[in-house]
Amino acid sequence: MAVHLNDTTSEAVLQHVAWKKEILKAKKLFETSSQAPAPSKDHCQLIVTEKGVILRKWKISLRNMSSGHAPAPTEDLISYEDFLYDTQRQRDVEYIFGSEVAYQIKRILSGTTDELSKLPKGIMVQIATYLDLQSVSSLSQVSKHLKEVCSSDQLWEKLYLYHQGRATEEVASLAKSMGWKQVFFMNNSISRKNSQDDDVS
């Protein structure tokens, strides 16, 4: 039985097809591949173009491996806006490709173009540990992503250890509930007060 589409539906279908072609033909900004975590053996590919995000997955099974025929991939095309809104899809990307890739993808889709923000988060944190507190504050104002780095527990734990040498179990437990940044400044405040008391005595 033939299905007849009205003019509005036909136009919507054509627009969707044209949108997909536009994403596929657009310039690539990022591309990576990975095998999904065990027990899955699926091969996954992630591509970001100037027009959207492409997620491909090849279902790997004993049947298609023994037959010698490569399976056809499933393909999911997503707009920037939909990807940034879809937290579950973001978690899926992080699960398959890792947190650094997920972080980098969010930077690209958010339009972050400054050179520092293109560095992996771990390297940016390492750089920030060598800065004084005023410089860390200035760096946090460069972009949204650098603000996230400069507010992260990963950075402030390193800064605490750099300035204090070590963290007791009590401090680590406190940081777990309050965050390392708050613990850092609370400790600084106590140290300044103790120093002032010593000067008075």
Side-chain angles (χ1 to χ4, degrees):
M1 179 179 174
V3 177
H4 298 285
L5 302 177
N6 59 39
D7 291 343
T8 303
T9 304
S10 297
E11 185 178 351
V13 170
L14 291 173
Q15 287 178 349
H16 186 68
V17 171
W19 172 73
K20 282 191 168 186
K21 287 182 177 179
E22 192 176 11
I23 292 178
L24 292 168
K25 291 181 178 180
K27 179 182 176 182
K28 291 181 182 178
L29 303 177
F30 180 89
E31 181 176 359
T32 188
S33 299
S34 180
Q35 185 176 31
S40 171
K41 295 182 181 295
D42 297 349
H43 180 75
C44 303
Q45 182 185 44
L46 173 64
I47 300 173
V48 178
T49 75
E50 290 182 332
K51 297 296 183 179
V53 181
I54 305 166
L55 282 168
R56 293 192 179 110
K57 183 181 290 185
W58 286 261
K59 188 72 176 177
I60 306 300
S61 66
L62 289 176
R63 176 180 292 181
N64 57 45
M65 287 176 66
S66 60
S67 68
H69 297 297
T74 58
E75 189 172 70
D76 196 7
L77 280 66
I78 317 114
S79 69
Y80 283 16
E81 184 179 3
D82 287 345
F83 187 93
L84 291 172
Y85 181 78
D86 192 339
T87 54
Q88 181 56 55
R89 202 187 297 271
Q90 292 174 35
R91 284 193 290 269
D92 290 344
V93 166
E94 182 171 356
Y95 178 69
I96 296 171
F97 298 98
S99 58
E100 285 293 345
V101 168
Y103 182 75
Q104 191 171 353
I105 294 303
K106 285 181 70 175
R107 289 206 311 265
I108 294 172
L109 302 192
S110 300
T112 302
T113 56
D114 60 275
E115 293 302 314
L116 277 177
S117 292
K118 293 179 182 178
L119 295 173
K121 185 178 180 180
I123 293 178
M124 290 159 60
V125 166
Q126 195 61 39
I127 290 172
T129 57
Y130 294 103
L131 303 176
D132 57 50
L133 297 183
Q134 182 59 49
S135 296
V136 171
S137 177
S138 298
L139 183 64
S140 71
Q141 298 173 42
V142 171
S143 69
K144 178 182 176 182
H145 300 289
L146 287 176
K147 183 177 182 180
E148 290 177 4
V149 169
C150 292
S151 299
S152 68
D153 269 355
Q154 190 179 355
L155 171 62
W156 287 98
E157 181 181 5
K158 287 181 177 293
L159 288 173
Y160 184 95
L161 296 175
Y162 177 78
H163 287 274
Q164 301 301 323
R166 67 185 184 89
T168 64
E169 288 185 11
E170 183 181 2
V171 167
S173 177
L174 194 61
K176 193 172 182 179
S177 60
M178 296 176 60
W180 279 101
K181 184 175 182 179
Q182 192 166 346
V183 169
F184 178 93
F185 283 106
M186 185 174 69
N187 184 79
N188 266 16
S189 178
I190 293 171
S191 297
R192 284 197 301 272
K193 186 177 184 305
N194 290 338
S195 178
Q196 290 170 357
D197 291 343
D198 289 342
D199 291 341
V200 171
S201 61

